Amino acid sequence: MSDYGHDLLFGTFVTPVNDPAGQAVEQAVVAERAGLDLVTFQDHPYVAKFHDAWTLMSYAAGRTERVRLALNVTNLPLRPPAVLARAVASLDLLSGGRVELGIGAGAFWDGVVAMGGPRRTPAESVRALEEAIAVIRGIWDVDTKRPLVVAGEHYRVEGAKRGPAPAHDVGIWVGAYKPRMLRLIGRGADGWVPSVQYLAGGVAVLREMNEHIDAAAAEAGRRPDAIRRLLNIGGSFTATGSGFLHGPPQQWAEELADVALTYGTSGFILASDDTATTERFAAEVAPAVRALVSVARG
């Protein structure tokens, strides 16, 4: 499948610097004012120059009214999943249903270990993330009256009370690249959020990566189009084109529309800590991509 038919989302990927203290929050306000759909923040708890991402996102929720918020992506090894589930649900309730859960299995293991977290192999990371998703969904499942029990290798929950439920169906969006993790997304996640700079070979590899997700979804009895595909992007606005997302806004729009229609990507999240860049992306690129995709779909 090339186009999964999702509505398009456009957002920013903000660096959570703590000096100046309010910069990241102000960029969330800029994104909302510009009309973007989503603001995301990095989560690297071992980086001293960054804010704690969940504290930052909570403050940003209080400073905004409409824009959706997510971490891109939550560092699972330093965020116990049962506690994380309640944090997500609480902020979703307080913000009026504006929180999504971006989550990753972990990276930068020296930093994780330095903060008291585990060091996991790739295979262990897959199993831990799958267990964590089961815990998170179990905490949110308030319709099941018996206490939650998850007897995992990495996460054990022994009779936890369920709740609260989020205000809306929070999407669990996984940042991943390898086949085993992509198959996990197909089995049990709601979305996939890779970064274009980590795609060896460029956006063309999205086709093969989507195939892993789609095959696993089908094997699990799920529709492949139940899983949203997002993409973290970066680029520069220039008068003439010099490569993917390096050129005028119309070039950006044509390239992103092609990615949406060819690879099914429906969320484009621009790495930007610059007000002018964010505003231009919102004003000149996002509506043009929507128009091109609408015509093609129509």
Side-chain angles (χ1 to χ4, degrees):
M1 183 181 291
S2 56
D3 180 7
Y4 299 91
H6 291 280
D7 59 307
L8 298 184
L9 298 177
F10 295 87
T12 55
F13 188 9
V14 176
T15 309
V17 293
N18 55 35
D19 185 15
Q23 177 175 310
V25 173
E26 292 306 321
Q27 286 304 307
V29 173
V30 165
E32 175 167 87
R33 186 176 63 223
L36 292 174
D37 308 296
L38 178 68
V39 174
T40 70
F41 302 101
Q42 300 176 43
D43 182 29
H44 297 289
Y46 35 78
V47 177
K49 66 181 181 180
F50 288 175
H51 282 302
D52 171 74
W54 272 99
T55 305
L56 170 62
M57 190 162 69
S58 298
Y59 194 86
R63 288 285 310 280
T64 55
E65 297 179 354
R66 176 196 55 79
V67 75
R68 293 157 71 178
L69 301 160
L71 297 191
N72 192 350
V73 288
T74 305
N75 187 288
L76 174 62
L78 293 172
R79 308 282 185 186
V83 177
L84 175 63
R86 291 202 168 121
V88 172
S90 296
L91 188 54
D92 197 54
L93 290 164
L94 290 166
S95 67
R98 294 193 287 126
V99 175
E100 310 297 344
L101 177 57
I103 192 167
F108 306 103
W109 293 106
D110 288 346
V112 170
V113 171
M115 290 287 287
R119 186 185 300 275
R120 290 174 177 151
T121 66
E124 289 171 340
S125 295
V126 175
R127 292 195 297 271
L129 181 56
E130 194 151 24
E131 291 171 10
I133 290 174
V135 171
I136 291 165
R137 293 200 189 282
I139 292 290
W140 293 345
D141 179 14
V142 295
D143 293 331
T144 299
K145 301 307 178 184
R146 65 182 181 276
L148 176 64
V149 176
V150 175
E153 176 185 350
H154 301 278
Y155 296 110
R156 299 182 62 85
V157 177
E158 301 180 0
K161 294 182 179 179
R162 299 175 190 262
H168 84 296
D169 289 333
V170 170
I172 298 178
W173 300 342
V174 175
Y177 301 90
K178 300 297 184 181
R180 282 182 295 187
M181 198 68 78
L182 297 173
R183 291 193 291 270
L184 181 156
I185 293 168
R187 292 193 300 272
D190 304 303
W192 174 41
V193 54
S195 297
V196 70
Q197 67 266 34
Y198 297 136
L199 298 176
V203 295
V205 303
L206 291 172
R207 186 186 305 278
E208 180 181 352
M209 298 170 86
N210 274 326
E211 289 172 355
H212 288 291
I213 296 172
D214 294 351
E219 290 172 6
R222 307 179 71 202
R223 291 173 54 94
D225 61 5
I227 302 155
R228 179 184 283 278
R229 323 298 160 111
L230 303 100
L231 185 64
N232 294 319
I233 59 173
S236 60
F237 291 115
T238 58
T240 58
S242 60
F244 183 70
L245 301 184
H246 291 281
Q250 185 59 34
Q251 176 188 321
W252 281 52
E254 292 169 0
E255 290 171 343
L256 294 181
D258 181 66
V259 172
L261 295 166
T262 304
Y263 307 110
T265 303
S266 59
F268 296 101
I269 306 171
L270 176 64
S272 174
D273 300 311
D274 176 70
T275 295
T277 299
T278 297
E279 290 176 340
R280 195 170 193 186
F281 179 63
E284 300 182 46
V285 177
V289 176
R290 286 193 168 102
L292 290 169
V293 171
S294 178
V295 168
R297 286 175 171 174

